[in-house]
Amino acid sequence: VQLQAFGGGLVQPGGSLRLSCAASGNIFSINAMGWYRQAPGRQRELVADITGGGSTNYADSVKGRFTISRDNAKNTVYLQMNSLKPEDTAVYYCNARMTPRATMPYRDYWGQGTQVTVSS
């Protein structure tokens, strides 16, 4: 089971980016999916997450600017980021709580990280 993230890059302040992250491999079930970020010298922090039923949760710093969504048929989670600010610069990691079998407990899986840089 693995997660692969796409969509990072360099964008000017006020711009937009869309991140995507697909889970692949032997997957029985996916519970919550989410995005975290880590800036240099700082701890990894939650950006947003979404349950299998579509309930969402956002960090205060991104509310109103970022939107998380998922496509359960594709095992994919997205993060639409608008009105980007320099302080959004970080490596963004996707996360999914998954299990490969009905008899195994759910556990967290992480993607490889994708760099988002907001700079003029």
Side-chain angles (χ1 to χ4, degrees):
V1 177
Q2 65 175 4
L3 291 171
Q4 189 159 14
F6 303 93
L10 172 65
V11 63
Q12 292 186 343
S16 298
L17 279 175
R18 188 188 194 213
L19 306 182
S20 62
C21 178
S24 62
N26 187 21
I27 301 168
F28 174 75
S29 177
I30 303 176
N31 193 345
M33 303 183 81
W35 290 94
Y36 289 71
R37 67 187 180 186
Q38 187 167 18
R42 302 190 65 174
Q43 289 188 332
R44 190 175 296 189
E45 62 177 1
L46 173 69
V47 177
D49 60 20
I50 183 168
T51 67
S55 296
T56 59
N57 176 49
Y58 295 92
D60 287 343
S61 59
V62 306
K63 283 180 181 177
R65 300 188 297 121
F66 291 10
T67 302
I68 189 169
S69 60
R70 64 190 280 176
D71 184 332
N72 291 330
K74 297 181 178 179
N75 293 331
T76 299
V77 62
Y78 305 95
L79 185 68
Q80 178 65 44
M81 304 185 292
N82 298 329
S83 301
L84 282 160
K85 304 175 181 180
E87 51 263 43
D88 294 318
T89 296
V91 177
Y92 284 69
Y93 297 90
C94 60
N95 166 273
R97 180 152 293 184
M98 303 186 285
T99 180
R101 299 178 186 176
T103 55
M104 294 182 65
Y106 287 87
R107 74 168 185 88
D108 286 325
Y109 291 81
W110 293 90
Q112 81 281 14
T114 184
Q115 177 70 46
V116 171
T117 302
V118 185
S119 175
S120 55

